[in-house]
């Protein structure tokens, strides 16, 4: 039985209060208790919109729930750093180097979601932007033409306004006007082009050079100072090895986070263990796994030897799946939620070197109705799972608008679930009965021979429809 996943189906439930919108009686899901589970089965489960909380695994009933949930994953191998990501990485590095706490202009929502859009001090422009060079090459004019421009066109230079100037009516108009070079800029641009020509360079050369200089995520992380004011260390600890004083310190940090950030008072140690330490996934190391193995881990962050944050993650055959993240609120100025997600993306890329099929970062559920979850769409490129057909779809502007326009969206409208369980498949659902793995049809015969009347076909069929045909025939459904 050691290689089997053993689950106990608990059916559907209507929670008294939704954890996202806080409405009462509108959250609907189905779930089971996983006594043990192999990583391959769990990988297949999350690819069918399931998630785990400790040993409890659940799937939202999106058609009937108040806050529809879509599994979201990032293609870590093609991940692109955004401007805000770079700001946060630089901010952490500056703190480690200089020890200066920068003001963090965030609200509670930003802190809880781990996202912050802090402005950085503006720097005097020392070189011309390539976009400006491209613009001047397309709109090159003589100095005489520039001088002949009307005063309305030059109003951006002297700060005056003119009634003859057309007021931008759309965002695109504003963007175009902001990119329109002024008289002085035209002169500087022409000089720049002349200097490039003297060196035998073209605008295309400059673009290629700048593109080659773009830093990767690993470049930023590699710039963390070794002899700065503070020292950052990370540790990847299997939950099966997390015990003793390590667990106590992690628990104390969790309580501080929950009390300060979420105003929670129900932080019993048993709840913490059940939620973030207990896992049905058992550590597996073999020729197909990375050296760290597959299973559940605590990704710990230390500054000067003090534990400041913990990311609870699952390392699975195709991905690193984020379960939960908590941190010391005293360090919220570092935007640790976002920083940790970048670290976990880097971890995927590291693990992929020894395990090529492991190349995705799962961020949990994308919940359009929950503002705190919106930040996940900024991790690009990302894909949403259709909760009915279980196909992946690029989360671009069009899909985002479509999801926002309705309460719930069946993303794939043209296909059907290829792994749907039919009534004929019911007979082949695998059951754990009398400590033996048997098919459901044989289980019915066993019960009949024992003169036990069991009519659970509807429940077993519901279970099979939720996990899919393949998983219903690979996992063991506990009966007696």
């Amino acid at each position: 039985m050691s290689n089997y996943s053993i689950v106990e189906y608990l059916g559907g439930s209507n929670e008294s209060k939704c954890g996202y919108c806080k409405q009462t009686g509108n959250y609907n899901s189905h779930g089971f208790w996983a006594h043990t589970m192999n990583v391959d089965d769990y990988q297949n489960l999350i690819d069918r919109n399931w998630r785990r909380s400790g040993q409890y695994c659940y799937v939202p009933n999106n058609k009937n729930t108040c806050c529809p949930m879509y599994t979201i994953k990032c293609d870590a191998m093609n991940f692109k750093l955004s401007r805000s990501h770079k700001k946060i990485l630089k901010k952490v590095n500056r703190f480690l180097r200089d020890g200066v706490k920068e003001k963090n202009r965030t609200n509670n929502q930003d802190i809880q979601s781990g996202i912050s859009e802090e402005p950085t001090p503006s720097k005097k422009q020392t070189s011309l932007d390539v976009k400006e060079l491209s613009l001047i090459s397309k709109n090159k004019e003589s100095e005489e033409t520039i001088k002949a421009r009307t005063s309305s066109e030059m109003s951006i230079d002297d700060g005056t306004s003119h009634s003859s100037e057309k007021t931008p009516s759309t965002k695109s108009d504003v963007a175009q006007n902001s990119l329109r070079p002024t008289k002085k800029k035209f002169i500087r641009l022409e000089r720049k082009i002349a200097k490039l020509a003297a060196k035998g360079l073209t605008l295309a050369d400059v673009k290629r050079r700048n593109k080659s200089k773009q830093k990767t995520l690993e470049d930023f992380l590699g710039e963390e100072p070794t002899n700065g004011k503070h020292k950052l260390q990370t540790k990847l600890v299997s939950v099966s090895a997390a015990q003793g004083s390590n667990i106590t310190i992690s628990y104390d940090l969790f309580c501080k986070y929950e009390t300060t950030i979420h105003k929670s008072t129900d932080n019993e140690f048993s709840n913490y263990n059940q939620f973030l330490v207990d896992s049905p996934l058992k550590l597996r190391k073999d020729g197909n796994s990375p050296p760290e193995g597959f299973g559940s881990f605590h990704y710990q962050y230390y500054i000067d030897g003090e534990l400041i944050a913990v990311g609870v993650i699952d390392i699975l055959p195709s991905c690193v799946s984020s379960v939960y993240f908590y941190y010391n609120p005293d360090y919220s100025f570092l935007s640790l939620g976002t920083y940790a997600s970048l670290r976990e993306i880097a971890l995927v890329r590291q693990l992929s070197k020894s395990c090529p099929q492991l190349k995705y970062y799962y961020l949990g559920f994308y919940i359009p109705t929950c503002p705190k979850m919106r930040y996940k769409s900024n991790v690009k490129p990302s894909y949403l799972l259709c909760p009915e057909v279980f196909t992946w779809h690029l989360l671009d502007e069009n899909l985002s608008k479509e999801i926002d326009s309705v309460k719930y969206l069946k993303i794939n409208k043209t296909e059907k679930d290829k792994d749907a369980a039919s009534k004929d498949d019911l007979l082949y659902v695998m059951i754990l009965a009398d400590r033996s793995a048997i098919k459901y049809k044989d289980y019915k015969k066993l019960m009949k021979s024992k003169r036990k009347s069991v009519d659970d076909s509807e429940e077993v069929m519901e279970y099979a429809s939720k996990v899919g045909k393949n998983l219903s025939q690979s996992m063991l459904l506990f009966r007696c």
Side-chain angles (χ1 to χ4, degrees):
M1 297 294 176
S2 60
N3 294 326
Y4 279 107
S5 299
I6 301 175
V7 303
E8 190 169 353
Y9 187 59
L10 303 177
S13 66
N14 288 302
E15 298 293 335
S16 59
K17 190 175 183 180
C18 175
Y20 300 103
C21 69
K22 309 303 180 184
Q23 294 184 26
T24 302
N26 291 323
Y27 176 71
N28 187 280
S29 66
H30 290 77
F32 59 69
W33 187 263
H35 293 277
T36 184
M37 179 164 289
N38 66 58
V39 292
D40 295 297
D41 285 344
Y42 187 62
Q43 177 70 68
N44 291 329
L45 269 175
I46 63 175
D47 285 336
R48 289 187 65 85
N49 218 43
W50 286 75
R51 298 293 294 173
R52 77 171 184 88
S53 176
Q55 290 183 253
Y56 178 69
C57 299
Y58 62 98
V59 59
N61 185 359
N62 279 335
K63 289 184 178 180
N64 299 320
T65 196
C66 52
C67 295
M69 306 175 189
Y70 308 80
T71 298
I72 181 172
K73 71 177 181 180
C74 169
D75 179 0
M77 310 312 292
N78 293 300
F79 168 70
K80 303 296 182 184
L81 284 168
S82 69
R83 184 182 177 189
S84 63
H85 292 151
K86 294 176 183 177
K87 286 182 179 180
I88 290 170
L89 290 167
K90 291 177 181 178
K91 179 173 59 177
V92 171
N93 287 346
R94 283 194 297 269
F95 171 72
L96 296 175
R97 183 189 66 224
D98 305 326
V100 178
K101 295 183 179 181
E102 299 179 16
K103 290 184 178 180
N104 194 6
R105 295 175 59 185
T106 63
N107 54 28
N108 288 336
Q109 174 186 317
D110 294 327
I111 294 173
Q112 289 172 17
S113 63
I115 279 296
S116 174
E117 297 290 341
E118 295 87 7
T120 56
S122 59
K123 297 180 180 179
K124 184 176 180 180
Q125 186 173 353
T126 57
S127 61
L128 295 171
D129 191 273
V130 173
K131 291 182 179 179
E132 294 177 343
L133 291 174
S134 301
L135 193 56
I136 186 61
S137 67
K138 295 177 182 178
N139 304 283
K140 189 173 181 182
E141 300 176 326
S142 65
E143 190 171 343
E144 290 76 13
T145 304
I146 296 173
K147 290 179 180 179
R149 288 181 174 225
T150 64
S151 58
S152 63
E153 290 176 310
M154 293 293 105
S155 61
I156 192 172
D157 235 5
D158 56 21
T160 61
S161 60
H162 302 270
S163 59
S164 61
E165 184 176 22
K166 183 179 179 180
T167 302
S169 58
T170 66
K171 290 183 179 180
S172 60
D173 292 335
V174 173
Q176 289 177 2
N177 287 344
S178 64
L179 289 175
R180 182 184 298 148
T182 63
K183 178 180 177 180
K184 292 180 180 179
K185 284 185 179 180
F186 266 107
I187 296 174
R188 293 200 306 269
L189 291 169
E190 286 185 326
R191 289 174 179 171
K192 184 67 176 181
I193 290 175
K195 288 181 180 180
L196 289 174
K199 296 178 182 179
L201 297 174
T202 65
L203 292 177
D205 295 329
V206 176
K207 288 181 179 180
R208 281 194 295 270
R209 183 181 64 185
N210 288 353
K211 186 174 182 180
S212 66
K213 288 183 177 180
Q214 289 181 357
K215 291 183 180 178
T216 65
L217 172 58
E218 287 75 14
D219 289 335
F220 280 102
L221 295 176
E223 291 177 349
E224 291 179 352
T226 55
N227 298 314
K229 294 287 186 179
H230 300 288
K231 185 175 182 180
L232 173 67
Q233 291 179 302
T234 59
K235 293 181 182 179
L236 187 63
V237 181
S238 169
V239 295
S240 60
Q243 54 187 349
S245 60
N246 191 293
I247 285 292
T248 302
I249 296 172
S250 295
Y251 169 65
D252 291 340
L253 177 63
F254 171 76
C255 290
K256 185 174 183 179
Y257 169 80
E258 287 292 311
T259 302
T260 305
I261 302 300
H262 295 297
K263 313 303 178 186
S264 173
T265 56
D266 184 19
N267 302 319
E268 296 294 331
F269 183 73
S270 59
N271 292 338
Y272 167 76
N273 259 346
Q274 190 177 69
F275 177 35
L276 298 174
V277 179
D278 294 344
S279 171
L281 306 178
K282 305 306 176 186
L283 183 64
R284 190 188 98 191
K285 292 184 179 182
D286 55 32
N288 297 319
S289 72
E292 295 80 358
F294 295 130
S296 299
F297 296 81
H298 282 186
Y299 199 13
Q300 301 174 336
Y301 300 79
Y302 293 84
I303 286 185
D304 302 331
E306 176 192 359
L307 181 67
I308 66 159
V310 177
V312 183
I313 61 175
D314 294 328
I315 299 180
L316 304 172
S318 298
C319 71
V320 168
S321 176
S322 176
V323 178
Y324 199 72
F325 178 75
Y326 55 98
Y327 59 90
N328 187 335
D330 295 342
Y331 289 87
S332 61
F333 64 92
L334 291 177
S335 304
L336 288 173
T338 301
Y339 180 77
S341 68
L342 296 174
R343 275 278 183 178
E344 289 172 3
I345 290 172
L347 176 63
V348 175
R349 290 151 73 126
Q350 174 191 328
L351 298 175
S352 182
K353 293 177 181 179
S354 58
C355 191
Q357 76 274 16
L358 199 166
K359 55 186 179 181
Y360 293 104
Y361 176 55
Y362 282 50
L363 294 86
F365 285 128
Y366 177 68
I367 307 173
T369 57
C370 181
K372 289 189 294 184
M373 296 293 172
R374 286 284 187 170
Y375 76 94
K376 296 182 180 182
S377 63
N378 295 327
V379 182
K380 299 178 180 179
S382 286
Y383 299 81
L384 292 188
L385 183 71
C386 176
E388 295 185 51
V389 183
F390 309 108
T391 50
W392 293 99
H393 304 265
L394 179 66
L395 179 56
D396 55 13
E397 185 178 352
N398 292 332
L399 180 54
S400 182
K401 288 181 178 179
E402 192 175 3
I403 286 181
D404 289 343
S405 66
V406 293
K407 181 180 178 181
Y408 165 69
L409 178 69
K410 179 185 177 183
I411 302 176
N412 189 338
K413 304 178 182 65
T414 59
E415 298 181 78
K416 295 182 178 180
D417 177 14
K418 297 179 181 178
D419 191 38
S422 67
K423 290 184 178 180
D424 293 336
D425 297 320
L426 172 64
L427 299 176
Y428 302 96
V429 172
M430 292 300 295
I431 302 295
L432 176 62
D434 281 354
R435 299 184 179 182
S436 299
I438 57 178
K439 294 181 175 67
Y440 183 68
K441 61 179 182 179
D442 297 322
Y443 164 73
K444 296 287 283 186
K445 293 178 182 178
L446 177 64
M447 292 297 100
K448 187 175 182 180
S449 67
K450 291 185 175 183
R451 297 182 179 180
K452 291 184 178 181
S453 177
V454 177
D455 186 15
D456 58 359
S457 58
E458 287 188 9
E459 181 182 75
V460 175
M461 188 67 233
E462 182 182 76
Y463 157 78
S465 69
K466 297 299 179 183
V467 302
K469 175 182 175 180
N470 290 329
L471 282 172
S472 72
Q473 296 177 10
S474 65
M475 300 191 300
L476 297 183
L477 176 62
F478 177 78
R479 292 284 87 182
C480 62

